[in-house]
Structures are given as C-alpha cells and as structure tokens.
Amino acid sequence: MKKHIFLTLLFGSFYCQGQNWKVITPFNNANTITDMEVTANGSLYVIAQLPDSMHKSTDGGNSWSAFPITLNYPSDLEMINDNLGYAISTSGNVIKTTDGWQTATNINYGGNSIHDRLFFLNENMGFIAGYRRFLKMTLDGGITWTGISIPTTLMSSGEDVTDIEFVNANVGFVVTSNGNVLKTTDQCLTWTKIELQSSGYQIEELKFVNENIGFAVGPLGQIYRTSDQGLTWVLTDTDAGILYDIRLIDGTLYAVGSSRSLVTSSDMGVSWSPVKTVSYETGGSSFTRMYTVSKLNGQIIVAGENGEIYKATNASSTTWASLYKPIFGGMVTTGFQFANTNQGIMVGAGTTQSSIYYTENGGYQWERKAIAGSNFYKSLDVKSDGKALVTGSAGYVTTANFGQTWTTILPIQVNTSYTKCWLKNNNDFFVGTNPGAPINDGLIKKTGVNTFTQFIDMPRIGEINFLNENIGYAGTVVANYPGSLWKTVDGGATWTILDNYFGGNVAEIQIINENKLYIKTLGGSTLVSNDGGISWTVLYNYPTKFHFFDELNGYGIDTNTKHIYKTENAGIIWEIIIENDNSLCGMQHFAWFPDKIIYSGAQFKVCILNIDQLLQVNPVQNRQTNKVRVYPNPTRDFLNFSEYMTTVTISDITGKVLASFEYLNKLDISNFENGVYIISLTSENGLRNSYKIIKQ
C-alpha cells in the first residue's frame, strides 16, 4: 500500500470490459505507477496515475488487458485472491471486483475526503484510512461500514492516518503523518500510542510479517522494527532516502524508495543491505522514485515514476533489466502505418516534443528512433520497400530502412504548415496544407533534389491517397469550408476537380482499384464510387472505421456498438465477429491485417486485437487479377494494359531484351518491326505475367 497526495476529481460507479484487445503500451513516461499486485495464478495488476489506468498482464508483462477504471488518481490496490480485489484513489473512492477486474462496483463507505489507504485482513474484514484521522471498518466485504474514533489526546485533529494493518481480528496498528504508531487489541475500541519520532516525520508504510514482527518505514531511509507486537521499536538507518514500500518475499525483506533505492534484509530486518537500481533516461527525465516492489515469475520487480517496471536478473537483486520500457507519452498519434506484417512506423506530436517509433515484430514492441520539437511529426507515408516520409510544421524527414534511421529535418520551400503526405517511388512527394494556413495555400509537390511547386487552386488539402504512381486523390478537410475532391491520372502533374462529388470535407480516402474508392467525410458519411469518381452513392449502416483488403473482404469497427465486423460481399452485409468494447483504445488510427487489427492513438497507446482463424475474412485476394488483360493483340501501334505496370519489358522470341519501360498502362510499339514478341509485366504488388504479342 502506498501513500501519495495528488489532485482529486470526480468518480464514476461502474464499468465492464471485454478482454479481446491487448494493450501493448499501457504506461508512458508521464505515468506514475503507484502499486502492483501479483496473485497466486501469476497475474500482474498495476495501477498508475497521469493518466489514470489499471492494467493486468498474464504473460509476464508482454501484453496487457486494460480496464477503464473510474478512479481518479488511483493510490492503493489490494488483491485478496486471484479474483477478489479492491482499489482506492486519493479522492477516497473505492471500487471492488470479484472477477479479476473484468467488472467492478462502487463501494459506498460514507467517505468524501482524501482517504487513500486500504487494508483487508481477509475477504470480509477490511479498513479504509486517510485524511484527518479518518478510519472505517467493514466486516462483510464492504457492504456495511463502521466509523472508528481515535481520541484527539492520541492523534491530533490535523493528523492523517498514512497506513493501517491488522495481524489478526483484534490486534491492529496505524501509523500517522506525525510519525506515531497507534495500536489496538480490541478491534479498534481502544488505542495506545507509541511515538517513534519526536521530529514528527511522516511514516509512509506499515508492514507486519507475522503477529510479532513488524516494520514502519519513511523518511531518510529509516526503518523501525518491532519483534514484540509493537511494544518496542528499534531504528535502523539505511541512508536510502524516503522509503515507500516494504514487503516480505520468499523469506527476504525488500524496501524501495527515492533515488532508485532498494534495500534488502535476509534476517527478518535485523540488518539491511543497500542495493541501487539502474536509472532509465528518457526525454530529459529519469526514473528516480520507486513506489512498489513485488515478485513475478521468480524475479523481483519494482516500479514507480515514468511508467518503468524493472526486474532483477540475479538472486541478489544487484543487476536489473527492463520488464516494461515505457513509451514517450503526452502525444497524440498523427501517423501509423506498416510496410509489411512486421515492420511499422508510428509518429506523434505533443506540446513539448514529437517522436517517431519503429517496430519490427508486428507492433508488439516499439523503439523510439527520432525526436523533434513540439508538434513537428504530423503526417506519415510508408512504402513496402522500406522508404517512408514524415512531414510536419517545420519540414520533412525520410528513411530508406523502414524507419530505423532518419535524415535530418529538411525544409519544404513553401512557408506554411503541412498535413497528409504521399511519397512516390522516385522520392518525389506531395503534401497538403494546414487547415489553419492562408486560404491561398494549396497542395505542394516536391520533385528532384529541392524543387517545390504549389497547386494554389487546391486550397487546404488535408487528405491524400494514391492507388499507384499515377492515380491519386486529394480532398479538403476543413470544417465549415466547402468540401472538394481532386483526382490525378498522371502522377500528380495535373489535377482535376471532381465536380460530381457532393460529400463535403474529406476525412479519409480508401482506394480499392482504378474504379472503386470510398470516402469518409468529416460529417460521418460514407460514399462510394464505382467509376473512378465520376458518380457517387451514399452508403448507410457502415461501421465508423472500415478497411477493405480487396473488392469483397474487409473489417470494420463501429463507434456506437463497439463491435468488430467483417464483410465478404463488398459491404452488403456486415457480420459481427467479436462483441467488444473498444473504448479502451479509441477510434483514431488502425493498421489492418487478416489475422489482427492494430490501433494507435492518444498517449501513443498501441492495442492489438488478434482475430481467430475461424472468424477471419476469406483468404484475401490480390487487388490485381491473376492475369493482366493486354489488348488489342495483334496491334499496329498501341498496347493497353488493364492495370498500371511498374515495369514492362519487351523481348524477342530468343529472350533478348529489346526495351524496358516503367509506370504505364499504355505502350506505343509502332516503331517496332512486324513480328512476334514476348512482353513481361510486373504490377505494383509484384505480380508478374508474360504474354506473346503480334505486331502487324
């Protein structure tokens, strides 16, 4: 049990959460972990503040289930067994679970002040303590509560109870903010007082390892020990700073506190040996205070500031490794894409810093690869060959190795702020202009080394997406501004406004093939075009977020129902495959795969939903057909391809290559002699076909 005084807010009374999503980044470096509990079945429970959260891991900290707790600034956690537990906040609100925090109910004990300490002797007998001598007891598991009065002659009206513990149903102790110990032998009817410190330093933690031996810890590394059930106390000064937690684990006592200090005792507290853990540096701050210690999978673990959890890697607890390394918090994800099933990039911008993170194992671990100033990394585009582009308020950066290393920030030569971007295979790129920029700011194109042009007739472009190197769409994304959609078929050299588009401002562009594309609008509407943007149809009853792998198969997530859907008939029917509350994750950014969905959003929270094979969509067909249509054949002049080709090679019948071309869907062969040739085609997704053609 820990004591920390923070701001207090309001409290909600109930929550319920399904356990399908796994949280990969539960804590960030802004978090303060206030308590941990490990139950007999190996489940690790952690509560944290800033932001407030409770998470559970059943696989040693690799992935986590999150619970949308309604405690503001949770301070203390008690797990009585694998399923029964209580948690309290610094505002005095208490919740109880009987199913391992799958669900929880509000405990009404009549408190309305800063009461932030819990202790349960068993399933029925428990106590709440805290601000200004507050103390209440329950004998029926929290259903009813009885107030406990401590005379002002023993405890002044301005004194707080900082911890409480009972060794049996009658004998118990409290420690106070003035450095005193109070004892009862008749279940709180009467009390006696023991002054530990004449200076009045606050005692942080109280722990009895049996009915006779107990410890009180607090400032300056001081540990008070009693071996006669609290009649007398002996002081040991460990010089460990403020100690916040003390626990007996497998016959060894561990106490943790400030300055990353951990002290141990193998003789039940008669003598102590200091151990200093490593520090974790991130963003200019360091892991300094450890508030809690426990044991998981045979290893001692500690946690505290900055969301870091350490594990001891040897029996003496002198060497340490990170059990959970926090991600840099205080940011909103602004870009989130995967180049393949394993390698992905996440970018985000905050009020103080911006960061780029990289994963190489499908989103289960993330490493920060770049850092910049406030609100810089705003937009991301990733290619399957490992190239990627990030643009922001001050310029752009690029990578050629899936985001492992990045260039220095380079300027964009149009002085404005930038939104969504698109990177071409030749390293040219497009970037939209900030909705808050001047009205005449338009789409920006970079070509060559340092050449920028601007399409000033395309103002406030906020969404860009390309099907291939030639076909692309760009849309405005400004509330209270006339929405428009533009199209290019020549790689962005020219753009044409789609006059028949009526959907308003564009929030998302999803292109399926040359003819079919979906538009999500800022107003929440969904539109589809089956003729390349010439005509449009409004779709109803579509999930809030959806993704099509091909023309037929896709997944969706709905804001209202929170269910996971799939369709195998182009959205005619959306079938619920997982009933799930997605409020833990949000509805910002998703990466979609047939076997999983990955989410990223505020505070760089990453969640993964694995989809059982029986629930998955049918094997995803390639967007390209198995055979590219080449026509007319024979021909006198032009060959047409049903799709854009990344490479086209013409050979004679002996296999000798005569000519090669890139990025086209039409080829002029009028200069070739009449005869038979072999034409080899490679589509954008790597599909290869060869054909025999006749030139007349």
Side-chain angles (χ1 to χ4, degrees):
M1 297 185 293
K2 316 292 157 309
K3 180 174 179 69
H4 312 292
I5 301 298
F6 296 92
L7 297 176
T8 60
L9 298 172
L10 297 177
F11 168 78
S13 61
F14 178 82
Y15 66 82
C16 178
Q17 167 61 21
Q19 295 303 300
N20 292 306
W21 288 91
K22 296 297 183 183
V23 182
I24 307 304
T25 59
F27 313 111
N28 59 60
N29 76 323
N31 272 125
T32 295
I33 294 175
T34 55
D35 206 359
M36 297 187 302
E37 291 283 340
V38 179
T39 54
N41 64 2
S43 296
L44 170 62
Y45 295 89
V46 179
I47 57 173
Q49 302 175 356
L50 305 172
D52 304 330
S53 62
M54 176 186 289
H55 289 82
K56 172 184 178 181
S57 178
T58 59
D59 57 9
N62 293 320
S63 63
W64 303 75
S65 299
F67 307 100
I69 64 171
T70 47
L71 290 175
N72 294 294
Y73 298 93
S75 57
D76 204 357
L77 175 66
E78 284 271 318
M79 292 302 297
I80 313 304
N81 53 45
D82 290 339
N83 296 306
L84 177 62
Y86 298 82
I88 191 170
S89 73
T90 58
S91 57
N93 304 123
V94 181
I95 52 178
K96 174 183 179 180
T97 183
T98 58
D99 54 14
W101 298 108
Q102 298 280 348
T103 61
T105 54
N106 181 27
I107 296 295
N108 183 10
Y109 66 96
N112 56 6
S113 191
I114 305 175
H115 313 135
D116 58 357
R117 308 312 302 268
L118 281 171
F119 175 77
F120 274 79
L121 181 66
N122 50 47
E123 293 184 6
N124 296 310
M125 185 177 182
F127 299 85
I128 294 174
Y131 184 72
R132 296 297 185 261
R133 301 188 306 136
F134 184 88
L135 194 59
K136 279 199 172 185
M137 176 177 65
T138 180
L139 297 176
D140 54 16
I143 298 174
T144 59
W145 294 83
T146 302
I148 298 171
S149 176
I150 299 178
T152 56
T153 55
L154 300 179
M155 187 175 183
S156 67
S157 58
E159 205 168 349
D160 301 333
V161 177
T162 56
D163 203 3
I164 180 171
E165 186 156 345
F166 271 62
V167 299
N168 57 46
N170 294 305
V171 179
F173 300 83
V174 297
V175 288
T176 76
S177 56
N178 287 356
N180 299 317
V181 176
L182 301 177
K183 178 182 179 180
T184 180
T185 59
D186 51 14
Q187 204 175 88
C188 305
L189 294 177
T190 61
W191 296 86
T192 58
K193 178 180 179 180
I194 304 167
E195 293 185 0
L196 295 183
Q197 299 171 334
S198 58
S199 57
Y201 289 132
Q202 176 169 304
I203 300 297
E204 298 285 344
E205 182 80 359
L206 176 66
K207 180 65 178 178
F208 272 79
V209 297
N210 56 43
E211 290 202 1
N212 292 306
I213 299 177
F215 301 90
V217 301
L220 306 176
Q222 294 175 340
I223 299 177
Y224 289 87
R225 178 182 188 269
T226 180
S227 59
D228 53 13
Q229 205 176 78
L231 295 178
T232 60
W233 297 77
V234 177
L235 171 64
T236 299
D237 193 345
T238 65
D239 295 325
I242 302 175
L243 293 174
Y244 297 106
D245 192 17
I246 181 171
R247 301 198 191 190
L248 178 67
I249 302 173
D250 296 336
T252 299
L253 284 162
Y254 297 85
V256 294
S258 60
S259 302
R260 302 177 301 279
S261 297
L262 181 146
V263 293
T264 64
S265 174
S266 58
D267 55 12
M268 297 300 285
V270 176
S271 61
W272 293 84
S273 300
V275 176
K276 196 168 188 177
T277 62
V278 297
S279 63
Y280 168 62
E281 302 289 341
T282 178
S285 61
S286 63
F287 177 81
T288 57
R289 295 182 179 90
M290 295 187 297
Y291 291 128
T292 180
V293 57
S294 191
K295 179 184 178 182
L296 179 68
N297 295 334
Q299 294 177 312
I300 301 300
I301 59 174
V302 296
E305 289 184 326
N306 293 354
E308 174 82 352
I309 304 176
Y310 280 122
K311 60 182 178 182
T313 58
N314 62 346
S316 61
S317 302
T318 56
T319 60
W320 298 81
S322 176
L323 174 72
Y324 174 78
K325 185 176 182 180
I327 205 161
F328 192 89
M331 296 185 188
V332 175
T333 301
T334 54
F336 184 63
Q337 291 184 28
F338 279 73
N340 49 54
T341 57
N342 292 313
Q343 292 171 296
I345 300 172
M346 174 173 60
V347 303
T351 57
T352 58
Q353 287 182 329
S354 301
S355 296
I356 301 178
Y357 279 83
Y358 163 77
T359 182
E360 60 183 8
N361 62 357
Y364 284 94
Q365 291 176 313
W366 294 85
E367 291 290 334
R368 193 171 68 188
K369 296 298 182 180
I371 191 168
S374 62
N375 295 314
F376 176 71
Y377 297 128
K378 288 292 188 67
S379 180
L380 167 70
D381 189 35
V382 182
K383 300 304 179 186
S384 60
D385 63 356
K387 293 180 181 178
L389 165 73
V390 174
T391 61
S393 59
Y396 71 97
V397 293
T398 61
T399 182
N401 54 13
F402 299 94
Q404 298 179 68
T405 59
W406 294 83
T407 63
T408 57
I409 298 174
L410 302 170
I412 298 176
Q413 297 303 322
V414 180
N415 186 17
T416 184
S417 295
Y418 316 105
T419 58
K420 294 297 179 67
C421 60
W422 182 267
L423 177 65
K424 302 192 71 175
N425 288 338
N426 63 0
N427 296 321
D428 293 350
F429 66 77
F430 293 90
V431 60
T433 52
N434 185 9
I439 191 68
N440 61 349
D441 273 354
L443 181 70
I444 298 168
K445 179 181 181 181
K446 174 189 171 294
T447 56
V449 176
N450 197 29
T451 302
F452 293 89
T453 57
Q454 191 171 25
F455 298 85
I456 60 173
D457 58 339
M458 299 173 63
R460 301 192 176 190
I461 295 297
E463 289 293 322
I464 307 171
N465 200 0
F466 276 69
L467 172 67
N468 49 46
E469 289 294 295
N470 292 286
I471 298 178
Y473 297 84
T476 57
V477 61
V478 185
N480 301 319
Y481 184 80
S484 58
L485 185 66
W486 304 72
K487 180 178 181 179
T488 181
V489 295
D490 56 12
T494 60
W495 293 81
T496 302
I497 192 170
L498 299 178
D499 292 323
N500 290 332
Y501 172 74
F502 59 85
N505 282 283
V506 178
E508 183 180 345
I509 303 171
Q510 188 175 154
I511 311 172
I512 308 303
N513 54 39
E514 291 183 30
N515 296 313
K516 190 168 190 175
L517 71 151
Y518 295 90
I519 298 293
K520 294 287 293 186
T521 72
L522 283 183
S525 299
T526 301
L527 291 84
V528 65
S529 175
N530 291 296
D531 51 18
I534 297 174
S535 61
W536 296 87
T537 302
V538 177
L539 300 173
Y540 298 97
N541 300 318
Y542 264 56
T544 308
K545 292 283 187 178
F546 61 87
H547 174 83
F548 281 93
F549 298 100
D550 52 35
E551 290 191 28
L552 299 177
N553 299 295
Y555 291 134
I557 304 176
D558 191 76
T559 301
N560 297 318
T561 66
K562 313 298 184 185
H563 299 325
I564 310 299
Y565 299 83
K566 77 173 180 181
T567 182
E568 296 178 322
N569 54 14
I572 297 174
I573 298 175
W574 289 93
E575 174 190 1
I576 298 174
I577 57 173
I578 301 175
E579 292 185 348
N580 182 72
D581 177 5
N582 189 45
S583 62
L584 292 175
C585 297
M587 298 293 288
Q588 283 82 30
H589 299 269
F590 293 91
W592 308 82
F593 303 91
D595 61 344
K596 65 183 177 182
I597 303 172
I598 309 177
Y599 164 84
S600 179
Q603 301 293 339
F604 270 158
K605 178 180 281 188
V606 177
C607 306
I608 296 181
L609 175 68
N610 289 304
I611 300 175
D612 186 271
Q613 187 173 2
L614 295 175
L615 301 176
Q616 295 173 16
V617 292
N618 289 330
V620 178
Q621 301 297 317
N622 197 287
R623 290 182 182 176
Q624 319 298 331
T625 58
N626 289 333
K627 285 290 184 179
V628 175
R629 192 158 56 93
V630 179
Y631 61 95
N633 188 16
T635 183
R636 295 180 182 276
D637 43 28
F638 287 97
L639 280 173
N640 297 292
F641 312 126
S642 60
E643 303 162 7
Y644 277 85
M645 298 293 108
T646 57
T647 60
V648 178
T649 301
I650 298 180
S651 307
D652 62 21
I653 57 175
T654 67
K656 180 181 178 180
V657 176
L658 303 177
S660 296
F661 308 90
E662 293 183 339
Y663 306 116
L664 46 79
N665 68 343
K666 187 174 184 179
L667 178 63
D668 184 359
I669 62 170
S670 59
N671 293 329
F672 283 76
E673 296 181 0
N674 293 345
V676 178
Y677 297 89
I678 303 297
I679 185 168
S680 299
L681 309 175
T682 303
S683 61
E684 287 193 309
N685 64 350
L687 187 66
R688 297 177 181 177
N689 289 284
S690 295
Y691 301 86
K692 183 186 293 185
I693 62 170
I694 300 174
K695 167 62 169 58
Q696 293 179 335

